[in-house]
Amino acid sequence: INTYPTNNLTRKVNLNEDSRPVQSLDETDYQMLHLLQQEGRLSNVELAKRLHLSPPATHARWKRLEREGYIEGYSARINARLVGFDMSCFIHLNLEMHQPEDAGRVHEELLKFPQVLELHHVTGETDYLLKVIFRNRSELEEFVVSQLMTIPGIARIRTSLVLREINTTKGLPLR
């Protein structure tokens, strides 16, 4: 069992050998997850109506999905531009060494930066792909020069500026 906190929920997921949750979901579970992805502020009563369940049955199901880690948390999508963040970037990082302890140290350092919206350990020419956000070019420069370049073990940094965000995922394609 893996246990770790995410967005004020404690996630416990039993994984089998192919890393999929042990317990299967029924069609109602999938419907609930779909509705909550689209409208995370639904009340229990409204969700129960849409699922054709009683509110207590809906609440029990909802809490089980949270407890088992299918629902990792809740958040509001904020318009970055309206709150002053005008520059999104993808930063490609390469490590000097590819030892697990080196990668672990880099992970820990990168997770400290609030500008890092996403952090992915990837295959291919790049070891890590970061999605980051800044108010302007000066903040990007400060981040790269004063923060990233000071992390031991990083051999190469490449930055790609986002010219225009065309689509962002609003939910998983559950069915």
Side-chain angles (χ1 to χ4, degrees):
I1 296 178
N2 295 332
T3 304
Y4 51 94
T6 56
N7 293 0
N8 299 325
L9 297 176
T10 299
R11 183 175 183 199
K12 292 183 181 181
V13 180
N14 288 319
L15 300 177
N16 58 19
E17 289 178 3
D18 61 0
S19 296
R20 282 188 284 190
V22 174
Q23 181 173 344
S24 61
L25 300 177
D26 64 20
E27 189 58 36
T28 303
D29 291 332
Y30 279 110
Q31 289 173 355
M32 178 179 282
L33 291 173
H34 175 75
L35 288 168
L36 289 171
Q37 277 189 139
Q38 301 306 310
E39 301 176 64
R41 295 184 65 179
L42 283 175
S43 70
N44 184 60
V45 171
E46 180 60 30
L47 188 58
K49 285 180 190 175
R50 294 192 192 183
L51 294 172
H52 307 290
L53 295 174
S54 69
T58 300
H59 185 261
R61 209 176 261 267
W62 194 340
K63 289 301 174 192
R64 178 181 57 81
L65 292 171
E66 288 178 349
R67 188 176 56 253
E68 292 175 358
Y70 291 98
I71 298 172
E72 293 182 337
Y74 303 91
S75 63
R77 287 193 310 265
I78 308 297
N79 183 315
R81 187 181 52 75
L82 292 179
V83 294
F85 291 95
D86 197 36
M87 180 177 279
S88 296
C89 306
F90 288 95
I91 297 179
H92 307 257
L93 300 179
N94 290 87
L95 299 182
E96 291 173 352
M97 304 292 289
H98 291 89
Q99 302 302 318
E101 57 275 1
D102 295 324
R105 280 192 299 276
V106 171
H107 288 175
E108 289 174 22
E109 289 300 313
L110 294 172
L111 290 171
K112 293 177 184 177
F113 303 125
Q115 303 92 330
V116 177
L117 302 180
E118 296 179 18
L119 172 60
H120 304 275
H121 189 194
V122 298
T123 63
E125 292 183 30
T126 298
D127 294 318
Y128 290 92
L129 179 63
L130 289 67
K131 181 178 180 183
V132 294
I133 194 160
F134 305 100
R135 289 180 178 82
N136 53 49
R137 194 189 74 214
S138 296
E139 282 190 5
L140 167 61
E141 180 181 12
E142 174 71 19
F143 179 73
V144 171
V145 173
S146 299
Q147 295 178 315
L148 287 184
M149 291 176 73
T150 64
I151 298 174
I154 294 179
R156 184 173 180 209
I157 301 169
R158 290 183 302 121
T159 302
S160 300
L161 301 179
V162 174
L163 297 176
R164 181 174 54 143
E165 192 173 88
I166 297 169
N167 182 40
T168 58
T169 302
K170 293 180 175 53
L172 298 174
L174 295 172
R175 290 279 191 211

